[in-house]
Amino acid sequence: MPTDDKATKSERDAAAKAVLDNMARLKAMRLAREAVSPPAPAKKRTATKSGKTSSSKTSSSKSAEKAQALAAWLADQRSGGRRT
């Protein structure tokens, strides 16, 4: 039995080393690619009259749509005889 434990541990160590080597290789490739062509700068958000950014306005409307959909679903569940 002790040989099985050693064999299992060595297999696990070899697999872990292979994963780490692959991650290091991929990181080196990514850094080399970014050095050649740096990533484009992020777009600036425009401010609205209320002082909030334009992206926050769209996210609030999306959350309102989700809330309405949830409310409709809950009402449907209640009318179907289910209680939460």
Side-chain angles (χ1 to χ4, degrees):
M1 279 213 142
T3 57
D4 290 338
D5 293 339
K6 288 181 183 180
T8 304
K9 185 178 184 306
S10 64
E11 288 176 10
R12 188 174 55 239
D13 290 345
K17 184 181 181 321
V19 168
L20 290 174
D21 290 345
N22 190 34
M23 287 185 352
R25 181 183 62 83
L26 292 172
K27 182 178 180 180
M29 289 171 56
R30 178 181 50 84
L31 291 175
R33 183 182 67 234
E34 288 176 355
V36 171
S37 60
K43 294 181 181 179
K44 292 186 179 181
R45 296 181 183 174
T46 58
T48 60
K49 290 182 181 179
S50 64
K52 294 182 180 178
T53 60
S54 62
S55 64
S56 65
K57 185 177 180 182
T58 58
S59 66
S60 64
S61 65
K62 287 181 183 178
S63 63
E65 291 172 6
K66 286 182 182 179
Q68 290 174 350
L70 176 62
W73 181 81
L74 288 172
D76 185 47
Q77 292 297 311
R78 281 190 214 109
S79 68
R82 295 186 178 159
R83 292 188 168 198
T84 55

